[in-house]
Amino acid sequence: MLDKNGIAKRIAKEVKDGYYVNLGIGIPTLVANFVRDDISVEFQSENGVLGMGPFPFEGEEDADIINAGKQTITTLPGASFFDSATSFAMIRGKHVDLTILGAMEVAENGDIANWKIPGKMVKGMGGAMDLVASAENIIVAMMHTNRAGQSKLLKRCTLPLTGVGCVTTIVTNLAVLEVTADGFKLLERAPGVSVEEIKEATEGTLIVEGEIPEMNI
């Protein structure tokens, strides 16, 4: 089973040379820490940064340099800062190759809910609605179940939707799954996790074909 860093490390393998990548709040922000040194990747944050680096070491933080989740970050040589209009022009103009988001629920048809829990105060959906509407390659980083042990990979989302039919891949603490027209296709399982455990933790349709390899991270 993976922890949050393990999920981020596995997702980092999906980041290719030359990609422009948007990292959402939560687990996705950890991905920048695990990208290979031999490839060139530009990480974009919707609050107006292109060229984010790993998180700073303790004592080296600059409170003026933050990501969309208000966490302090580092920037790489050549990084640039800009306003929200420019940032969302990049997103809406489909200039981002890969979007990595967290989620509270994902449905087997690729719907995603990641912004609101009924009854809880939130400021609004924010930039997530633009990301899911514009991106063609969306990877979700999430825990497979909630704290009560209930599946977060569902037949249909129960929470208010952020986007419809937009998720392509999901990486959880238990598995890597592809969203297909027929449901969640199991591609890999986390170290020490059996296919049966993944089946029990998945409410939506789970497609298992042949021998499922263990993740190599």
Side-chain angles (χ1 to χ4, degrees):
M1 187 180 298
L2 303 180
D3 60 10
K4 292 180 179 180
N5 282 299
I7 294 171
K9 192 173 183 180
R10 175 59 187 83
I11 291 174
K13 288 179 170 286
E14 303 299 314
V15 178
K16 309 301 182 186
D17 187 39
Y19 266 18
Y20 289 85
V21 182
N22 180 280
L23 300 178
I25 296 169
I27 298 173
T29 61
L30 300 171
V31 173
N33 295 337
F34 299 106
V35 173
R36 285 167 31 205
D37 293 332
D38 62 337
I39 63 174
S40 176
V41 179
E42 296 287 347
F43 286 107
Q44 193 249 21
S45 184
E46 64 205 57
N47 59 316
V49 185
L50 185 65
M52 287 192 300
F55 284 120
F57 292 109
E58 188 174 351
E60 298 180 5
E61 303 93 339
D62 184 337
D64 290 326
I65 304 178
I66 60 172
N67 61 21
K70 301 181 179 62
Q71 297 167 303
T72 53
I73 57 171
T74 62
T75 54
L76 301 176
S80 58
F81 302 91
F82 35 83
D83 61 13
S84 290
T86 302
S87 181
F88 281 95
M90 294 177 184
I91 294 167
R92 294 168 183 164
K94 299 184 183 295
H95 302 294
V96 176
D97 298 296
L98 173 63
T99 296
I100 304 170
L101 297 172
M104 291 178 278
E105 293 178 348
V106 176
E108 62 184 43
N109 67 341
D111 293 353
I112 181 174
N114 77 342
W115 74 281
K116 183 179 176 66
I117 299 175
K120 296 282 184 74
M121 175 70 77
V122 293
K123 295 180 180 178
M125 190 182 293
M129 62 181 178
D130 297 275
L131 290 165
V132 299
S134 304
E136 296 180 355
N137 189 7
I138 297 176
I139 297 178
V140 168
M142 65 189 295
M143 293 297 170
H144 212 102
T145 59
N146 61 24
R147 292 176 182 175
Q150 299 168 322
S151 180
K152 296 166 69 173
L153 276 65
L154 311 173
K155 291 186 178 298
R156 291 289 178 267
C157 291
T158 62
L159 297 172
L161 295 181
T162 311
V164 175
C166 56
V167 176
T168 54
T169 307
I170 306 162
V171 180
T172 75
N173 54 320
L174 302 183
V176 178
L177 307 105
E178 176 188 358
V179 177
T180 73
D182 299 315
F184 300 115
K185 183 178 180 180
L186 182 59
L187 302 180
E188 300 174 18
R189 52 191 177 81
V193 176
S194 69
V195 172
E196 286 304 315
E197 287 177 282
I198 297 166
K199 286 180 178 178
E200 290 175 8
T202 308
E203 184 209 271
T205 302
L206 184 67
I207 302 164
V208 181
E209 296 178 350
E211 195 75 24
I212 305 300
E214 195 171 272
M215 290 183 209
N216 179 17
I217 56 171

